[in-house]
Amino acid sequence: MKKIGPKGMKWLKIIHVFLVVLFFGGILSSVALTFHIDFSNYDESYLGYKSIVVISDNIVRWGAIGTLIVGLIYGFFTNWGFFKHRWVGVKFVLYIIQTIVGIFVVDKLMLANMELLETQKEMALINPIFARNHVLRDNAVYFQIIVTIFIFIISYLKPWKKKKAHAKQN
């Protein structure tokens, strides 16, 4: 397969950083909104959840999909590969786990609560399922934030390098 050259690598990195900012910024925005929702007020809860859904659908999702595509491009069309460097492999696996949590836990619980708010109106706020979903969703989002920060650290430090590769760079 033809590899991407130095100029292409620079553009790929710019696109990657932009998409990660979308992804992580969207997650942090939804957390900030969640902190300020008054769950004793139906209208505020409904609008808060609706805003979180909009952020998830239009910012987090596009950042996540784009980041995954860029990761695949890095893996197939650059010398980085997927598992040539241990730290890249760890990042890739963590990102896949994080994305699975986002799709099958965060989104599922968020949409379930949105449905409860739309069908049960004010009664949703005292529904134990709504409260359980909300707490589980929050915990899953905190997990995503911690994983993302760990991925940032790995990206910067590039740990687990082979001694030869590390000596060549110094």
Side-chain angles (χ1 to χ4, degrees):
M1 257 183 219
K2 186 176 180 192
K3 300 293 181 185
I4 296 173
K7 190 173 184 177
M9 287 292 288
K10 287 180 183 179
W11 278 105
L12 193 59
K13 191 173 199 174
I14 289 167
I15 293 166
H16 179 65
V17 169
F18 174 75
L19 291 167
V20 169
V21 167
L22 276 180
F23 175 71
F24 195 53
I27 291 172
L28 292 177
S29 297
S30 70
V31 168
L33 278 173
T34 301
F35 285 152
H36 295 301
I37 296 174
D38 176 4
F39 285 103
S40 65
N41 180 316
Y42 170 76
D43 290 332
E44 188 174 323
S45 299
Y46 179 81
L47 288 174
Y49 255 87
K50 192 74 168 167
S51 297
I52 292 168
V53 169
V54 168
I55 290 169
S56 177
D57 289 350
N58 296 292
I59 297 175
V60 176
R61 182 169 292 139
W62 288 109
I65 291 168
T67 300
L68 180 60
I69 291 169
V70 168
L72 293 172
I73 292 169
Y74 268 116
F76 288 120
F77 300 106
T78 72
N79 291 326
W80 288 100
F82 290 105
F83 300 102
K84 183 177 177 182
H85 304 280
R86 205 170 303 140
W87 65 273
V88 173
V90 170
K91 277 179 52 172
F92 188 70
V93 169
L94 287 174
Y95 184 75
I96 296 299
I97 291 168
Q98 178 184 34
T99 302
I100 290 168
V101 168
I103 293 168
F104 295 106
V105 179
V106 175
D107 284 356
K108 183 180 174 186
L109 294 170
M110 174 185 63
L111 294 174
N113 272 4
M114 194 68 221
E115 185 178 330
L116 287 172
L117 287 166
E118 289 173 342
T119 58
Q120 295 182 0
K121 307 288 184 208
E122 292 85 6
M123 295 304 293
L125 300 177
I126 58 171
N127 185 332
I129 294 171
F130 180 89
R132 181 186 62 86
N133 288 350
H134 182 73
V135 169
L136 289 173
R137 181 197 167 275
D138 278 355
N139 289 332
V141 170
Y142 299 144
F143 169 79
Q144 285 186 302
I145 290 169
I146 290 166
V147 169
T148 302
I149 291 169
F150 187 64
I151 290 172
F152 288 161
I153 292 167
I154 291 171
S155 297
Y156 183 76
L157 296 178
K158 297 173 182 60
W160 311 303
K161 282 187 175 182
K162 296 175 186 165
K163 299 228 185 257
K164 270 185 173 178
H166 187 66
K168 284 182 185 178
Q169 284 185 344
N170 289 336

